Amino acid sequence: MVAPDRGIAHVPAMSSTLTETLSEITPDAAKAELYAFAAKPVVDPRRDLVGLERSELEAVITEFGLPRFRANQLWHWIYHRGAVDFDLMTNLAKPIRALLAASFRISRPRVVSRQDSSDGTIKWLLRFDDGNEAETVFIPEDDRGTLCISSQVGCTLTCSFCHTGTQRLVRNLTAAEVVGQVLLALDELAGFPSAGVNRRLTNIVLMGMGEPLYNFENVASAMRIAMDGEGLALSRRRITLSTSGVVPMMARCGAEIGVNLAISLHGTTDEIRDELVPVNRKWPIKDLLDACRSYPGVNNARRITFEYVMLEGVNDSLEHARQLVALIKGIPAKINLIPFNPWPGSAYECSDPDHIERFAQVLMKAGYASPVRTPRGRDILAACGQLKSESHKLNRREQRAVAAE
């Protein structure tokens, strides 16, 4: 009699249902599942030092048990030198570096993709810790280099001519995620130390995804960090915040951070603007322009910029130009005329270039500088009004599913 082999476990036969299920999994489906698993956000429990204003950083470091001057050293390394590794901070003793690395981190958004336009424009799709994404664009010119940054994932405004407006608002970006776009761009552009004479990144415009005045606290913190003279050292005169017209927040913006203001106007009557910029139904043109006239610090040397997208047959007649002149009378201003940049599914056409020039002539004869913005990055959907990510707000069922994973 042969003794049974104790080394071989009994394997029960698979049920027919399980066999059928496994047979339905194709190689492509398995690959997709693997990529989805790899893309899941990894939570780092250490506290992020990026996005803390100087006073906040000092409070965190002193609470940690280190003297206040260590916060100044960290500020220098993070924002002037661009360090992401505590081991590089050679004026801190090794034991202190080890302690800091164990409790804190210096974050950057992850680059999902980088696209380089034929005109030199660069667009980055960036992923944040929770897996949500936003886009950031660098626009080089002969006399400046402008970084267009996002303030939200998605947008709540649904402006009909804007690609971002087709993406529902997912959430506000944190101060760390707003200033992190600047840090990432400086990394990519070899821009550290940050105050170099020949720095490529010289200007910031908050004209990316989202309405910055709906996320003012985080945007203001990020801009105060960017303007600090011992860090990124960007002048407030080189930062422009663009709003669709969130009237109650405009005076606070001018008083607290004092950056340049741009208004997404795009229409000369409430009827037209209600269609193009639906927030106009809440704060109509008269209220918006009254807020512009009282914006803190506005004068002939610091003018408000009115942005005006040129849409064929919608807002581009010479009568519209004359209406625009009458509307902004008495406001120190310039007008940026923006040829419409098409995107998949858009319902508008760009005005004819010759017609845009005639429109501009009406404005210039009235004494307003009216440059026609040269479209940049159109071939990579990086031009004005073309930004969008694939992030979407989870419904309750999807949230429960993610929480269970």
Side-chain angles (χ1 to χ4, degrees), residues 253-289:
C253 174
E256 293 189 18
I257 55 176
V259 296
N260 299 319
L261 183 69
I263 302 294
S264 293
L265 188 61
H266 310 305
T268 56
T269 67
D270 284 327
E271 180 182 6
I272 294 174
R273 200 163 187 269
D274 284 353
E275 175 193 339
L276 298 179
V277 189
V279 76
N280 191 74
R281 298 166 191 165
K282 191 170 186 179
W283 296 295
I285 290 175
K286 181 184 182 304
D287 295 346
L288 174 59
L289 296 182

Side-chain angles (χ1 to χ4, degrees), residues 187-218:
D187 288 343
E188 295 267 313
L189 299 169
F192 288 109
S194 59
V197 176
N198 296 317
R199 65 194 301 174
R200 293 178 65 190
L201 196 166
T202 62
N203 293 57
I204 292 175
V205 292
L206 284 141
M207 297 181 182
M209 297 170 58
E211 166 54 66
L213 292 187
Y214 278 155
N215 185 23
F216 180 72
E217 299 293 346
N218 290 330

Side-chain angles (χ1 to χ4, degrees), residues 132 167-171 391-395 398-399:
N132 279 306
Q167 179 183 354
R168 290 174 57 198
L169 176 68
V170 178
R171 66 170 177 83
S391 297
H392 69 283
K393 188 171 186 177
L394 302 181
N395 59 36
E398 291 170 324
Q399 289 172 350

Side-chain angles (χ1 to χ4, degrees), residues 323-342:
Q323 289 173 351
L324 179 53
V325 169
L327 279 175
I328 65 174
K329 184 178 180 180
I331 302 175
K334 69 174 182 177
I335 301 139
N336 274 353
L337 299 179
I338 307 170
F340 173 66
N341 296 300

